[in-house]
Amino acid sequence: MTRITTWFPLWALLGALFAYLFPEALVGLKPAILPLLGLVMFGMGVTLTLSQFAAVLRRPGLVGLGLALQFGVMPLAAWSIGMAMGLPPELLAGLILVGTAPGGTASNVVCYLAKGDVALSITLTTASTLAAVMLTPALTWLYLGERVPVPALEMLISIAQVVLAPVALGLLLNQWLGARIGPVKAVFPLISVAAIVLIIAIIVALNAGNLAHVGIAVVIAVVLHNGIGLAAGYWSARLLGRDETTARTLAIEVGMQNSGLAVALAVKFFGPAAALPGAVFSIWHNLSGAALASWWARRAT
C-alpha cells in the first residue's frame, strides 16, 4: 500500500492525461468532487486529536505568519509575473485573482499525504477563507483598480460542509474508538490518493476545451506563481526557525490557492479569458502538490 501511495504523482499525471484525451468519460462526475473531498477530510479526521488543534491555537503567531504569506506574497507575485511577462489585461486579472484567493481545500489533502501538520493546514484554510471576505476584494482593487465582491457566505458554507464537518466527525470517532479503528486509519492514505487522483482527472476533463487554447505564457506564469508560493512558505518558515513539518505545511498552504473561486470571479467580472490562469492553476497546483507530497512522505519514512 505504501508503494502505491508513493507513486501518487504518476497516478495523478496518468489520470490527467486520460481526462484530457477522453474528457467525455469524466465530465459527468463533476458532482462527485465535493463528496470525494469530504471523504478524504473524514479520513484525516480519524488521524487527528483535539490536542493537535489546541496546540495550533496556542500559536497564533504561526497562523498570522501563514496569513501574511498567503495574502502578501501571492498577490504581489501574481502582479509581478504578469507585468514582467507582459500578459494581456484579462490574463493579468485572472492571475491576480488566483493570487488574492484564499487557500484551497486541496491543500489539506496534500498536507495530509505529505505528512505535514494537518490541524495547522485546516486552521489556515479556514482562517484565510474568513480573511478573504475582506482581503480578496481589497487586494484585487489594489492591484487592478476593480472592486470584486466575494461570495462570503457561500464560501463559508462550503468550507463547513467539505472540511470542518467531515474532519469533526472523524476526529470524534477517533476520540471515542481510538485504537479500535486502526485498520480504518491504515487504509485511508490509499483512499485519499485514489480520491485526489480522480478529482484531478475530473478537473482536467472539465477544462479540456480551455486547455487546448491556453498559450505557453499562461502555463509559465502559473508554474512560476505556484513555485514562488511553495518556496516562500517553506523557506520563510525555515528562516524563522520553524521545524520541517511546519515548513512543509506553510509551503502547501501558501502555494495552493482556491483556484475555483478565482475562476468563478474571473468569469463574472472580467470575461472567459480571465478564467484561464485559474483553470490551469487548478490542475497544476494539484500535480505539483502531488509530487511534493510524495517526495516529502518518502523523506519522512
Side-chain angles (χ1 to χ4, degrees):
M1 187 179 298
T2 302
R3 184 170 297 177
I4 294 174
T5 56
T6 298
W7 288 97
F8 176 27
L10 177 61
W11 310 137
L13 193 58
L14 290 174
L17 180 61
F18 175 84
Y20 182 73
L21 295 174
F22 308 102
E24 66 282 353
L26 293 166
V27 290
L29 295 178
K30 180 181 178 180
I33 292 177
L34 292 184
L36 285 169
L37 277 172
L39 175 65
V40 176
M41 296 299 167
F42 172 78
M44 288 185 210
V46 298
T47 70
L48 297 172
T49 63
L50 289 171
S51 61
Q52 288 172 300
F53 282 97
V56 169
L57 295 177
R58 288 195 295 268
R59 297 179 291 171
L62 188 55
V63 176
L65 173 62
L67 291 176
L69 291 168
Q70 175 80 58
F71 292 108
V73 170
M74 293 304 277
L76 178 59
W79 180 82
S80 301
I81 292 167
M83 295 300 288
M85 294 184 65
L87 293 182
E90 279 195 327
L91 294 180
L92 176 64
L95 191 64
I96 287 174
L97 279 172
V98 173
T100 61
T105 51
S107 64
N108 307 139
V109 181
V110 170
C111 183
Y112 169 61
L113 296 172
K115 301 187 184 301
D117 187 335
V118 177
L120 174 60
S121 177
I122 292 170
T123 302
L124 283 171
T125 297
T126 305
S128 68
T129 300
L130 289 168
V133 174
M134 296 292 293
L135 292 179
T136 296
L139 290 167
T140 303
W141 176 79
L142 175 66
Y143 285 102
L144 291 174
E146 296 279 351
R147 297 184 183 276
V148 176
V150 173
L153 184 60
E154 292 177 26
M155 289 169 60
L156 294 176
I157 290 173
S158 178
I159 289 289
Q161 291 176 335
V162 178
V163 178
L164 300 181
V167 167
L169 184 61
L171 189 150
L172 290 174
L173 192 66
N174 191 29
Q175 292 288 117
W176 289 334
L177 300 179
R180 283 175 286 181
I181 57 171
V184 175
K185 295 179 184 180
V187 78
F188 255 103
L190 180 58
I191 293 174
S192 297
V193 166
I196 198 66
V197 167
L198 182 54
I199 290 168
I200 292 170
I202 296 170
I203 291 170
V204 172
L206 292 170
N207 290 284
N210 288 333
L211 290 175
H213 305 291
V214 171
I216 189 65
V218 175
V219 176
I220 292 172
V222 164
V223 171
L224 286 174
H225 192 207
N226 175 239
I228 288 171
L230 294 169
Y234 183 88
W235 289 110
S236 294
R238 295 304 280 166
L239 290 171
L240 291 171
R242 303 292 183 176
D243 60 84
E244 173 72 14
T245 301
T246 300
R248 293 179 186 181
T249 305
L250 285 177
I252 292 165
E253 280 301 313
V254 176
M256 298 188 70
Q257 302 289 90
N258 189 336
S259 48
L261 173 66
V263 168
L265 294 176
V267 170
K268 184 172 182 179
F269 296 103
F270 297 99
L276 291 176
V280 175
F281 199 98
S282 68
I283 296 164
W284 174 255
H285 79 156
N286 280 300
L287 293 174
S288 66
L292 266 180
S294 177
W295 182 51
W296 277 333
R298 285 200 302 271
R299 289 179 59 194
T301 56

